[in-house]
Amino acid sequence: MARDQWGTKAGFLLAAIGSAVGLGNIWRFPYVCASNGGGAFLFPYFFAIITAGIPILILEFTIGQKFRGGAPAALGCMNKKWEWLGWFQAVVAFFIATYYAVIVAWSISYIGFSAKQAWGVDTESFFFEKYLNVSDGPLQLGGIQLQILIPFLAVWLLGYIILSKGIKNGIEKANKIIIPLLLFLTGVIVVRGLTLPGALDGLNYLFTPDWGSIWKPEVWVAAYGQIFFSLSIGFAIMITYASYLPKKTDLVNSAFITAFSNHGFELFVALGIFGVLGYMAGVQGVDVAEVSKAGVGLAFVVFPAAISALPALKGTVGAVFFITLVFAGFTSFISIIEAYITGVIDKFNIPRQKALNIFVGISFVVSFIFVTGAGLYVLDILDYFINNFGIVLGGILEVILVGWFFDLEGLRTHANRYSNFAIGKWWNYMIKFVTPLVLGFMFVQNLVQNFIEPYGGYSFGSLLIIGWGAFVLCFVFAFVFYNMKGDSSVMLQPSKEEVSK
Amino acid sequence: MNTSALIMFLVGAIMLWGGLIVCLRIAFKKHNNVNNGVDDIAQE
């Protein structure tokens, strides 16, 4: 079976950028920057891009392209036992896909709500009580919420259709359309945000440096965390996307372009977000810090309130903001699904359509839990555990195994072979020392923090069943898939001779 | 916008957007060189 391939290099880059640019760029970066030293945060942030983000991206591009397989096949090609780690990353991607779909679905609903600002005056009550109809706790499901169901079905259906068309005709084409539109719509938000009265107060809050914070370890951890979680690294996506690259591909510059595009985008969108927040703070007569939020609270509570407070074009600006969220989330969503679909196709040599029918079907059924009244709670817990433990552990094991127990120098030579500019030995040191240390510190810190103070004030039982339960399931399913008998006749992988060239 | 905030924004913009422009220029330059090379071979 011939392996699918990207049609153009630009197509691959747009898909990689589309994967990296997600909801976190819009609703996480501006807050993290503002609350970790403002402008001073940009120095640890840039340092983290160079010492961790780009090196890991180069590593994953190289692994995927050299061994021409998704994470399980590629890591399994490097060492049979490491296939397990590839499956671990793929299962992490599976869990993320299940809840990512519902956030995109909420955003679709909010495009419609924007027309007449259906959220009213109390945006918080509207979102949590009227729209989500949240139950009393994570273990009380509270039934399917029909108002979320239709956009939710649309997200899964559209994702399924695009993925069915394959890499070149599906993912690449979708990204070639969506990414330019995403950039244009973000431009609209930025222009609107910056032309509002009070916007400069927001930007002052965002960028005024607090130099004292640069000496705080937590600010550096926040910088590395933002880089790591924002680039779609550590959970099989970039290895998968790179596995569809042709042999003569510039890997190093592609990684630099992907990273700079992703982080350049979040700096750009931050201008619009804090422009609007500055305006809103002015209207309410409060400090910008009081309206500065991250995540779901920013997108579905603060922003709707800000949209209602706009002097004109409320419906248009609201629709543009939520379409931007949909586009950013959707391109990431399809990349997350592709990460485990490719793993399955590689291992069992089954047609793409069959793999999609089975595994998108399973993901779709599992994700129904997020359409219930307990959906937000389950999402919150799962997101925390899968990100802070699943992705981080997958990343640590990847850099340690490949850095210390594989021919890293050989990978560097391969990365440099067709690249526009070469990476030096510094890359080896980043992979072997800096990234394991930083990620290890993050993992231990999160672990200790969780034992001192259980996450989010949830009950121990909820965290055990949903959070730790999902984390354990990542191990269990990784071992199950690792031990399953694949199709040994699969000739998707290059021969050892070809790899060693 | 106060001066220190403006300077920090410019620093961030130069680092990220400037970095992207440099990488894209390198990519296009090499791409054109490769295409010119192909043309040269075709002319031969």
Side-chain angles (χ1 to χ4, degrees):
Chain A
M1 193 194 297
R3 191 174 186 81
D4 206 351
Q5 195 164 287
W6 299 104
T8 58
K9 189 188 163 191
F12 161 71
L13 281 173
L14 285 173
I17 293 164
S19 174
V21 170
L23 301 168
N25 297 70
I26 298 170
W27 71 28
R28 191 170 186 273
F29 170 75
Y31 177 82
V32 170
C33 180
S35 54
N36 283 284
F41 175 77
L42 294 173
F43 285 102
Y45 174 72
F46 193 72
F47 191 79
I49 294 173
I50 300 298
T51 58
I54 290 174
I56 299 178
L57 209 47
I58 293 172
L59 179 75
E60 296 202 344
F61 280 177
T62 308
I63 291 173
Q65 194 260 1
K66 178 167 181 165
F67 298 101
R68 292 182 66 83
L75 289 166
C77 226
M78 297 168 85
N79 182 323
K80 177 62 193 150
K81 289 178 184 168
W82 297 355
E83 183 192 327
W84 167 85
L85 176 60
W87 283 115
F88 179 84
Q89 294 188 346
V91 178
V92 164
F94 169 87
F95 278 117
I96 296 174
T98 60
Y99 65 78
Y100 225 85
V102 83
I103 303 175
V104 179
W106 297 345
S107 307
I108 292 174
S109 294
Y110 267 69
I111 296 171
F113 296 155
S114 297
K116 290 183 177 175
Q117 296 89 57
W119 45 72
V121 182
D122 189 352
T123 55
E124 192 167 337
S125 299
F126 177 84
F127 179 63
F128 293 108
E129 292 164 24
K130 203 168 177 184
Y131 179 62
L132 296 183
N133 192 16
V134 289
S135 62
D136 292 334
L139 301 180
Q140 289 167 301
L141 292 184
I144 297 284
Q145 302 304 309
L146 294 176
Q147 64 279 18
I148 309 172
L149 194 61
I150 292 172
F152 171 80
L153 294 175
V155 171
W156 276 109
L157 183 66
L158 195 60
Y160 174 80
I161 292 170
I162 289 171
L163 290 165
S164 297
K165 292 185 183 298
I167 299 298
K168 186 180 165 186
N169 294 321
I171 298 174
E172 183 172 339
K173 274 190 180 169
N175 278 285
K176 277 182 171 174
I177 297 166
I178 294 175
I179 298 300
L181 282 173
L182 174 65
L183 194 61
F184 171 74
L185 294 177
T186 307
V188 172
I189 294 169
V190 171
V191 169
R192 176 68 284 207
L194 292 181
T195 51
L196 287 167
L200 291 183
D201 294 332
L203 296 188
N204 282 335
Y205 178 75
L206 175 63
F207 289 118
T208 302
D210 168 16
W211 293 112
S213 66
I214 213 165
W215 305 109
K216 294 176 184 168
E218 62 266 28
V219 170
W220 287 81
V221 171
Y224 275 93
Q226 178 60 28
I227 299 306
F228 189 71
F229 295 131
S230 171
L231 274 175
S232 293
I233 46 184
F235 60 114
I237 296 175
M238 292 306 183
I239 294 179
T240 301
Y241 270 12
S243 75
Y244 296 106
L245 280 169
K247 195 177 173 188
K248 292 182 183 178
T249 301
D250 165 23
L251 298 171
V252 175
N253 202 15
S254 295
F256 273 82
I257 291 172
T258 305
F260 281 133
S261 299
N262 176 60
H263 300 304
F265 175 84
E266 58 191 13
L267 182 73
F268 184 52
V269 79
L271 296 175
I273 298 289
F274 267 86
V276 173
L277 293 182
Y279 166 75
M280 191 184 165
V283 168
Q284 293 183 355
V286 296
D287 197 71
V288 181
E290 285 188 42
V291 294
S292 173
K293 278 192 178 179
V296 169
L298 173 75
F300 299 104
V301 177
V302 174
F303 237 80
I307 289 161
S308 292
L310 288 176
L313 297 172
K314 297 175 187 181
T316 310
V317 175
V320 167
F321 175 72
F322 288 108
I323 293 172
T324 305
L325 275 188
V326 171
F327 283 171
F330 189 75
T331 49
S332 302
F333 173 63
I334 53 176
S335 74
I336 296 166
I337 300 177
E338 186 58 44
Y340 56 90
I341 293 298
T342 292
V344 171
I345 296 171
D346 287 349
K347 171 120 187 176
F348 302 106
N349 192 23
I350 57 174
R352 179 177 191 80
Q353 202 59 49
K354 190 176 177 185
L356 282 169
N357 291 346
I358 298 170
F359 287 91
V360 170
I362 295 170
S363 318
F364 171 66
V365 171
V366 171
S367 70
F368 260 88
I369 195 163
F370 302 104
V371 188
T372 66
L376 183 67
Y377 300 123
V378 180
L379 189 157
D380 189 29
I381 296 172
L382 195 61
D383 181 54
Y384 175 82
F385 278 82
I386 287 293
N387 272 290
N388 292 293
F389 299 117
I391 296 183
V392 175
L393 185 64
I396 293 171
L397 293 175
E398 181 182 296
V399 289
I400 290 177
L401 290 178
V402 180
W404 289 92
F405 302 101
F406 192 75
D407 176 18
L408 194 61
E409 189 57 22
L411 286 180
R412 188 170 74 89
T413 307
H414 183 88
N416 284 338
R417 185 164 296 156
Y418 297 107
S419 290
N420 293 335
F421 55 89
I423 38 164
K425 281 253 183 195
W426 64 270
W427 178 75
N428 299 34
Y429 300 125
M430 295 304 138
I431 296 295
K432 286 178 89 163
F433 300 103
V434 177
T435 51
L437 276 173
V438 175
L439 293 176
F441 182 78
M442 279 166 62
F443 185 81
V444 173
Q445 192 198 35
N446 286 326
L447 204 62
V448 172
Q449 178 64 32
N450 214 272
F451 280 112
I452 295 170
E453 192 184 349
Y455 173 68
Y458 293 105
S459 69
F460 176 73
S462 310
L463 295 177
L464 189 69
I465 293 168
I466 300 164
W468 292 115
F471 186 53
V472 170
L473 281 179
C474 292
F475 288 91
V476 172
F477 285 122
F479 275 110
V480 169
F481 278 98
Y482 169 62
N483 286 308
M484 283 171 90
K485 189 169 166 52
D487 184 344
S488 57
S489 68
V490 182
M491 294 305 290
L492 290 169
Q493 307 310 319
S495 64
K496 280 189 178 171
E497 289 75 19
E498 194 182 339
V499 168
S500 62
K501 275 180 194 171
Chain B
M1 199 170 178
N2 66 46
T3 313
S4 58
L6 181 64
I7 290 171
M8 291 319 298
F9 164 67
L10 290 175
V11 167
I14 290 167
M15 289 192 300
L16 298 174
W17 301 341
L20 177 61
I21 290 166
V22 169
C23 292
L24 286 174
R25 276 182 64 111
I26 291 170
F28 279 116
K29 207 173 168 183
K30 294 279 180 181
H31 180 73
N32 288 337
N33 285 347
V34 170
N35 285 347
N36 291 341
V38 172
D39 291 340
D40 291 344
I41 292 165
Q43 284 165 8
E44 284 169 11

